Amino acid sequence: MINVQNLTKTFGNLTVLNDVSLEIGAGKIVAVLGPNGSGKTTLIKCLMGMVRPDKGGMYLKGEQINDQSSYRTYIDYLPQISRHPENLTPRELVRMLGDIRQQPAREEVFVDLFELEPYLDKRLKNLSGGTRQKVSIMLSLMFHNDLLIMDEPTNGLDPTAIIRLKDYLLEKRRENKSIIFTTHIIPLVEEMAEEIIFLLEGNIYFQGSVDELKKQQSEPNLERAIAHALTTKKASI
Amino acid sequence: MNKILKYSFIDLIRSNWVISYTAFYFVATFGLLVANGDISKAIISLLHVITILIPLISTVFGVIYFYNSRDYIEMLLAQPIRRSTIFLGQFLGLVLSLCFSFVVGILIPFLVYGVSVSGYLLHFLYVLVAGILMTIIFSALAYLIALLNDNRLRGFGLAILTWLLFAILYDGIFVLAMIKFEEYPLDKVSLIASLFNPIDLSRIFIMLKFDTAALFGYTGALFHQFFGSNLGVVLAGFALLVWCFVPVLIILAKSNQKDF
């Protein structure tokens, strides 16, 4: 579904993505992992066209997406930090995004999931951080596309909301949708991800299943496997 | 673009900043009308508001608005629309809300004082147009500076410095240069120099319409001498329009290359 070839991005002297090539198949839940500054968010932002890569090609369903905008119609994207105009209400934002995308929004799924009904007509500046994150998830996923890209989706959510979001995503997985997310929460990865892309210093250190990573690092659990991978990498430098 | 403009405008028009800005104009204009007791004098007094205060408020507001809406811009960038549509829509939403404040804030008091039957309606309209142009120019400069500087403190400092340059320093440097080179004919140089300061241009634009020689200032007098009142107004107006378009075009070009 997504194909990335030789993607490179530098910010000044810092190479954030270094000749990254990868392929992500359709109908999978893929976790993009890596320590802070490893290039996870930059990779996702390149895919969404927010960061312009220095070189490399990106393809969605075989079509090149570099410098394009219309392909985003087929992606539901949740950014790491999402802030919307403070003086608008969630209901107005639903209408605005529906207007912009010219796609029918089905926000009621998330209104029920996160119990957002009482907040729909309140200005965003009057909502708590957690409620804002729920509103952001609603605004990002309400178009029910086949590809979901989420940058740290559980940020700021309470445990109940996290469980509901996980259940929702697993249900989408059963509907054969593709889900790509970044996170630092390892249990979430173990529970949900079928495939891991492990980035280290702008390179793909590992791509495969959770079990394969554990096996490669000879560790019984994912947390230790990741810690071992990081230590080995540091030692090799 | 219209959709982004519409929602940016609705967001801004509800903000306490814009409401206070409108209230300020409303009170200040009534104050000027009451204190002067004369519409033409009140219009002249408004000149200072237009040449100093509008650029300052547009600058501050432009910078703050861009930095505050950075995460919102990221959300818009994830939508299937072109970058130029996003940035133009957002910028026009900002300009429209500031112009709305300014126009509503000064129009109501002047209408109450009977500007429409006073014989100064055209002069008043010139003041309105100059204020709108100043709003566009300084919001655009501030938005551009914020776009080019990720460091908020630096962006804010540069924007205020730009306002300071055009509002105060430019004239000071200009006068010093004229004293230094007083033996040379400086008329044409002065004329050209005034084209590079939008605040000077707006002052000339209004003063030429009033045809009040004492208020022209040096560059205004030169404009009057070289082009006469009517051509001078047209030229100053055209130069102000160029000042509106150039920063906006740079905003569109730079936003297209920027990483978010």
Side-chain angles (χ1 to χ4, degrees), chain A residues 9 11 45 49-52 69 72-73 77 83-87 92 96 99-102 123, chain B residues 3-4 7 10-11 14-15 68 71-72 74-81 83 256 258-260:
Chain A
K9 179 66 193 175
F11 292 108
K45 283 188 170 181
M50 291 167 191
V51 169
R52 306 278 200 210
S69 59
R72 293 183 212 129
T73 311
Y77 168 69
R83 268 178 68 179
H84 305 93
E86 300 258 291
N87 296 300
E92 285 170 329
M96 177 186 90
D99 271 0
I100 289 175
R101 293 179 76 117
Q102 295 290 303
R123 290 190 191 181
Chain B
K3 292 157 196 162
I4 293 175
Y7 287 99
I10 294 172
D11 173 44
R14 287 177 186 169
S15 81
N68 275 353
D71 295 324
Y72 170 52
E74 282 194 27
M75 198 270 286
L76 290 175
L77 286 169
Q79 311 307 322
I81 38 176
R83 283 189 175 201
N256 212 29
K258 192 174 168 65
D259 293 323
F260 284 89

Side-chain angles (χ1 to χ4, degrees), chain B residues 13-80:
Chain B
I13 214 79
R14 287 177 186 169
S15 81
N16 293 337
W17 270 79
V18 171
I19 294 167
S20 315
Y21 190 43
T22 314
F24 165 77
Y25 275 124
F26 193 77
V27 172
T29 310
F30 258 121
L32 284 176
L33 283 162
V34 171
N36 286 298
D38 179 271
I39 285 184
S40 70
K41 281 182 188 160
I43 294 175
I44 300 273
S45 305
L46 259 186
L47 175 73
H48 299 293
V49 173
I50 284 159
T51 53
I52 301 293
L53 207 61
I54 288 186
L56 178 63
I57 291 173
S58 302
T59 300
V60 172
F61 211 88
V63 173
I64 291 176
Y65 181 63
F66 178 84
Y67 286 135
N68 275 353
S69 53
R70 238 197 100 100
D71 295 324
Y72 170 52
I73 290 173
E74 282 194 27
M75 198 270 286
L76 290 175
L77 286 169
Q79 311 307 322

Side-chain angles (χ1 to χ4, degrees), chain A residues 15-231:
Chain A
T15 303
V16 183
L17 293 175
N18 186 13
D19 211 28
V20 168
S21 296
L22 59 91
E23 190 155 1
I24 298 172
K28 278 186 177 175
I29 299 185
V30 179
V32 182
L33 304 180
N36 295 332
S38 57
K40 303 183 297 290
T41 296
T42 306
L43 174 65
I44 281 180
K45 283 188 170 181
C46 281
L47 285 173
M48 294 307 298
M50 291 167 191
V51 169
R52 306 278 200 210
D54 299 334
K55 72 177 182 77
M58 297 173 293
Y59 304 84
L60 178 68
K61 294 178 183 168
E63 299 274 330
Q64 181 146 20
I65 57 173
N66 297 52
D67 299 323
Q68 302 293 315
S69 59
S70 55
Y71 73 94
R72 293 183 212 129
T73 311
Y74 311 108
I75 303 176
D76 288 344
Y77 168 69
L78 177 71
Q80 194 177 101
I81 304 162
S82 40
R83 268 178 68 179
H84 305 93
E86 300 258 291
N87 296 300
L88 297 183
T89 65
R91 202 186 295 281
E92 285 170 329
L93 287 164
V94 167
R95 208 178 306 137
M96 177 186 90
L97 287 172
D99 271 0
I100 289 175
R101 293 179 76 117
Q102 295 290 303
Q103 276 180 299
R106 281 190 286 124
E107 76 281 8
E108 63 285 349
V109 178
F110 298 96
V111 172
D112 294 342
L113 191 70
F114 295 131
E115 294 160 358
L116 287 172
E117 188 63 45
Y119 308 106
L120 285 180
D121 293 310
K122 289 195 170 139
R123 290 190 191 181
L124 234 57
K125 67 178 175 188
N126 298 326
L127 304 183
S128 71
T131 309
R132 283 186 199 207
Q133 178 66 359
K134 290 173 188 169
V135 169
S136 296
I137 293 173
M138 171 181 80
L139 295 171
S140 301
L141 307 185
M142 65 185 179
F143 296 103
H144 303 272
N145 279 304
D146 288 341
L147 175 58
L148 285 70
I149 299 181
M150 295 178 288
D151 200 353
E152 306 203 14
T154 53
N155 265 359
L157 290 183
D158 57 56
T160 317
I162 292 178
I163 290 170
R164 287 179 182 176
L165 179 65
K166 278 195 293 196
D167 290 346
Y168 173 80
L169 294 175
L170 289 170
E171 187 192 316
K172 293 295 120 184
R173 167 67 190 87
R174 285 192 288 277
E175 292 171 16
N176 213 28
K177 302 205 179 221
S178 308
I179 301 164
I180 301 169
F181 69 99
T182 72
T183 187
H184 288 289
I185 304 171
I186 302 304
L188 186 72
V189 179
E190 283 198 288
E191 197 176 335
M192 298 192 58
E194 293 158 275
E195 193 172 318
I196 292 173
I197 293 170
F198 190 46
L199 285 171
L200 261 182
E201 292 163 2
N203 295 291
I204 294 183
Y205 178 79
F206 172 85
Q207 183 171 5
S209 69
V210 173
D211 287 338
E212 282 167 349
L213 182 63
K214 287 186 205 166
K215 205 168 161 187
Q216 189 203 59
Q217 300 297 324
S218 312
E219 289 288 352
N221 68 53
L222 184 60
E223 207 158 30
R224 284 184 181 278
I226 288 169
H228 188 258
L230 288 171
T231 324

